Amino acid sequence: FVLVGTSHAGNVGAAARAMRVMGFTDLVLVAPRTPGLHREAEALARASNALDVLDGVREVATLGEALAGITTVCATAMTPRDFGPPTFAPRERLPALAADGERVAFVFGGERHGMRNEDVYRCHLCLSIPTDPAYGSLNLAQAVQLVAYEWRQALGGFAVEP
């Protein structure tokens, strides 16, 4: 999970919690507004015991550094682009990626403006979470939660405890 240009420590902490509850721990911050954003008090508080995710955060300067070794890069964007990768709902495409055993990265843009076009164009496909067309703006951590859930389901999910 790659967060580009993140500006709110609370969203980083909440994203870490969202990832951890789905069994994921690899979080990369690309050029966050403030270096060390993941160590701020609000991030720690919102992580709610997902401190292992925050402890393992890699902070890098460029998206290229974050994507080293990745075979499939998924942009997450609310707004379709005229040019760039094809757009799918997560449920439409993630099961095939899981079956192929791809090394996948999910890239999320900053809170204020989402993903920049040049970052979307670097990706192989774009995931768009189906929302009410009149109001499709998700909080960054909510988007991470939904994609993490869909990816976990594509990988086989977790059993529900009776």
Side-chain angles (χ1 to χ4, degrees):
F1 288 77
V2 179
L3 308 183
V4 179
T6 307
S7 59
H8 298 289
N11 280 332
V12 174
R17 180 180 184 178
M19 290 170 52
R20 188 65 186 96
V21 77
M22 290 295 123
F24 304 114
T25 58
D26 190 8
L27 178 60
V28 182
L29 302 182
V30 177
R33 178 198 58 171
T34 306
L37 190 66
H38 62 288
R39 301 206 181 281
E40 291 184 11
E42 188 177 359
L44 299 172
R46 298 270 312 270
S48 187
N49 292 324
L51 300 179
D52 58 334
V53 177
L54 294 180
D55 288 341
V57 162
R58 285 186 306 124
E59 191 171 309
V60 298
T62 68
L63 183 56
E65 291 174 79
L67 300 178
I70 300 298
T71 54
T72 302
V73 183
C74 302
T76 57
M78 180 180 84
T79 307
R81 296 341 197 245
D82 289 336
F83 302 100
T87 301
F88 302 92
R91 211 166 277 181
E92 289 177 311
R93 191 64 181 103
L94 294 185
L97 290 178
D100 291 343
E102 298 285 332
R103 184 154 162 72
V104 178
F106 301 102
V107 182
F108 298 82
E111 294 91 342
R112 299 191 89 199
H113 303 290
M115 287 190 68
R116 299 176 319 161
N117 285 340
E118 54 266 30
D119 292 339
V120 173
Y121 299 156
R122 293 186 66 153
C123 299
H124 300 104
L125 61 105
C126 186
L127 299 176
S128 183
I129 297 165
T131 59
D132 179 345
Y135 191 77
S137 179
L138 286 169
N139 169 274
L140 173 60
Q142 293 169 334
V144 169
Q145 179 68 77
L146 289 168
V147 171
Y149 173 79
E150 291 291 345
W151 186 232
R152 176 52 58 203
Q153 293 308 306
L155 293 171
F158 291 123
V160 174
E161 294 295 322

